[in-house]
Amino acid sequence: MKKVKSGIRGSAAKGSVAPKNVDEYLAGVAEPARSTLKKVRAAIRSAVPLDTTECISYGMPAFKNNGVLVWFAAFSNHCSLFPTAAVIEAFKKDLKGFSTSKGTIQFPTDKPLPAALVKKLVKARIAQNERKKQR
């Protein structure tokens, strides 16, 4: 099997065989980040419609429903959730205390984002995708 870079500089999966699915990705992530991402994944799953699918997109786990809703990943010294820049802007008050950039929320490898916050972010992405679909 050929080794493929994940496509994300500095991600936990860098230089490893590209994962085929989310479970494979998580299996390649060291603790405590693996447990943290499993909690984030569970929070996302609880907020998405039943017909949502999981996939690997840009070398990271993602949830798709009318397009990608969110991505999440582990890096060497943090984990990240990628809900898009518009969602981060809309929830910037809720995200105080977390490191954010244009489309990324970073959090410690041993401390997942609060499940209630993840659910709010995901529901906002679902609404965004629904509006986009209706145009």
Side-chain angles (χ1 to χ4, degrees):
M1 197 175 233
K2 185 176 154 191
K3 285 191 172 203
V4 181
K5 286 190 177 179
S6 70
I8 301 298
R9 230 173 350 143
S11 86
K14 185 178 178 186
S16 62
V17 174
K20 291 179 184 60
N21 58 47
V22 177
D23 289 324
E24 256 185 44
Y25 177 92
L26 291 172
V29 174
E31 289 295 352
R34 181 184 314 137
S35 293
T36 296
L37 289 184
K38 283 182 175 183
K39 289 174 185 166
V40 170
R41 181 188 192 189
I44 296 168
R45 276 183 169 167
S46 72
V48 296
L50 288 175
D51 61 341
T52 301
T53 57
E54 290 184 314
C55 64
I56 297 294
S57 172
Y58 297 105
M60 298 180 288
F63 282 81
K64 272 179 131 171
N65 192 303
N66 297 317
V68 175
L69 296 171
V70 294
W71 296 259
F72 60 101
F75 296 86
S76 56
N77 61 357
H78 67 275
C79 292
S80 291
L81 179 70
F82 303 86
T84 74
V87 170
I88 289 173
E89 181 62 28
F91 288 90
K92 65 182 170 192
K93 285 181 184 165
D94 299 79
L95 294 168
K96 282 224 184 322
F98 293 101
S99 176
T100 61
S101 63
K102 187 175 178 184
T104 310
I105 304 161
Q106 293 182 357
F107 48 98
T109 57
D110 61 347
K111 189 174 181 238
L113 290 170
L117 177 58
V118 172
K119 291 175 190 180
K120 284 191 340 190
L121 298 169
V122 170
K123 289 191 182 295
R125 276 294 293 145
I126 292 165
Q128 247 183 14
N129 277 8
E130 283 297 318
R131 285 191 302 273
K132 193 166 59 176
K133 186 178 134 186
Q134 290 170 359
R135 284 187 205 149

